[in-house]
Structures are given as structure tokens and as C-alpha cells.
Amino acid sequence: MEADFTVTEFIETAHEILDSEKRELVVAALSEGYYDWPRTRSIEELAEQLNQDASILRELLHEAEQELLAALFDDGDLDHDEHVHPLIDADVPGG
């Protein structure tokens, strides 16, 4: 599957689909090493630094990642209740 975004368009789309809280959390996670490999900052360390609960931060980052990936691969159409990933065959048990 090929994305139809330029980098600039994807950045603009990210600014449109992420609310300011999620956008700030993703930027903080990127700049603080949460997405480094290997990670240089754990979710717990990041949460402490941002004065957030780690489980809430984990959930917000997961939602932001899901929204960004949906925009990139699914034309931004993310229905949390009925969403089936295009790479998963819905007829496969467990899929």
C-alpha cells in the first residue's frame, strides 16, 4: 500500500487530526527519547516529567499513533467500533 502524502502534507494532516494535547504529547515523546530504539525514556519517566499518569499517557499516545497511522494508510477514516485494518482478512478467525 502506498501513501499519497508528501511529508509536508502529512505534517499538515497531523496538525489537523491530532488535538493540541495529543500533538504536544507526541512531540514530547519524540524529543525525550520515548520513540528511540532502544528507548532512552520509559513511559513512566516521560509521564513523571510531564506530570501525567503513565496509563493515561500510554492511552493518549496509542490513540495519537492510531489516528496518524489511519490518516496515512486508511485515508483518515478511523471508526473505532467497526474498523478492520486493510491488511487483516476479516474472515480469518481472530482477525
Side-chain angles (χ1 to χ4, degrees):
M1 182 178 297
E2 185 176 318
D4 294 327
F5 286 104
T6 65
V7 172
T8 301
E9 290 169 336
F10 184 71
I11 291 169
E12 290 171 358
T13 300
H15 279 272
E16 291 172 11
I17 63 173
L18 294 180
D19 62 38
S20 61
E21 179 184 24
K22 288 178 187 169
R23 193 168 45 252
E24 289 171 13
L25 292 175
V26 169
V27 169
L30 279 168
S31 65
E32 294 300 322
Y34 177 74
Y35 289 108
D36 290 354
W37 189 257
R39 281 199 172 120
T40 57
R41 177 91 44 165
S42 71
I43 194 76
E44 290 78 13
E45 292 169 325
L46 185 60
E48 184 177 332
Q49 178 180 344
L50 298 173
N51 199 28
Q52 287 269 355
D53 180 82
S55 63
I56 293 172
L57 179 58
R58 187 177 289 112
E59 182 178 335
L60 289 171
L61 285 175
H62 177 77
E63 289 173 4
E65 293 162 0
Q66 197 172 24
E67 291 169 14
L68 290 171
L69 289 170
L72 185 60
F73 293 110
D74 296 337
D75 297 326
D77 182 24
L78 182 61
D79 183 341
H80 291 285
D81 296 328
E82 298 179 18
H83 186 71
V84 176
H85 192 281
L87 299 178
I88 297 173
D89 184 354
D91 295 331
V92 175

